[in-house]
Amino acid sequence: NGQWQAKLPPVSNMPSSNAGLSEIQINVQTQVNGQAVYRTVKTAVKQYVPSGKLSSNVDSRWHDGLPSQLTFAVELQKEGRFGVNAALTGTDSAGNDILILTSQSAAWLTNESSTISLDLDTAAIKRSGLSAPFKLKALELVDQGQMARLSYQQQALTMSL
């Protein structure tokens, strides 16, 4: 279907460091109009250590009927600087989800302090004229020290007061 998929052997243990890049090279041979065609495809890849993941526990704070802050618990495998990014949508009179804002936050997380909060601009939410249910979309957890996306949820959360 116009796609290639490489199946690599499972890695028995993850590296303790992700310094540097690796390269995958694929040599392809095919026939085009009865003639042999050889191609070499190269791309850079970077392994990362799965240093944390979002817990299903989310604490929400509301102000005047609008969400103002979401606090996410992170299950840590390794301490470090993490970031969370997301988009907030509201519902218009026709029931459509409309983007209100995007927000991002970062913090140094440890086993003793493993939550990260995402502030939501209640003034921007109010100006939008949109109402609940509000939805958190494109929720991303990143390990900033490794420059690695650890998780992504397109439809992360639906909120109503």
Side-chain angles (χ1 to χ4, degrees):
N1 293 336
Q3 299 179 17
W4 292 92
Q5 183 179 35
K7 293 187 178 185
L8 304 175
V11 177
S12 59
N13 58 7
M14 292 300 291
S16 60
S17 167
N18 72 332
L21 296 173
S22 298
E23 182 179 85
I24 293 178
Q25 177 176 318
I26 301 171
N27 298 312
V28 180
Q29 176 184 348
T30 190
Q31 296 284 323
V32 175
N33 296 330
Q35 191 169 17
V37 176
Y38 300 92
R39 302 269 175 169
T40 299
V41 179
K42 291 183 184 184
T43 189
V45 295
K46 183 175 188 180
Q47 280 189 312
Y48 66 91
V49 178
S51 53
K53 68 178 183 175
L54 289 174
S55 165
S56 60
N57 298 329
V58 180
D59 180 38
S60 64
R61 291 192 181 181
W62 293 70
H63 179 71
D64 292 334
L66 300 173
S68 61
Q69 186 181 69
L70 299 170
T71 301
F72 300 90
V74 179
E75 297 172 12
L76 290 178
Q77 299 298 316
K78 186 177 181 183
E79 295 181 350
R81 185 163 175 83
F82 292 83
V84 66
N85 315 307
L88 181 74
T89 65
T91 307
D92 69 7
S93 59
N96 299 312
D97 289 337
I98 307 295
L99 178 66
I100 299 173
L101 58 86
T102 59
S103 184
Q104 57 186 340
S105 179
W108 184 268
L109 301 184
T110 66
N111 290 327
E112 293 76 32
S113 177
S114 61
T115 60
I116 187 167
S117 294
L118 186 65
D119 292 328
L120 303 173
D121 184 349
T122 54
I125 298 169
K126 189 172 187 174
R127 279 192 310 271
S128 75
L130 301 171
S131 60
F134 298 102
K135 294 181 182 176
L136 197 66
K137 297 186 175 191
L139 176 61
E140 178 181 52
L141 176 68
V142 295
D143 181 327
Q144 292 184 332
Q146 297 185 82
M147 296 189 309
R149 177 194 275 184
L150 299 176
S151 67
Y152 180 83
Q153 298 174 46
Q154 179 56 37
Q155 305 290 332
L157 185 64
T158 300
M159 301 174 284
S160 293
L161 186 61

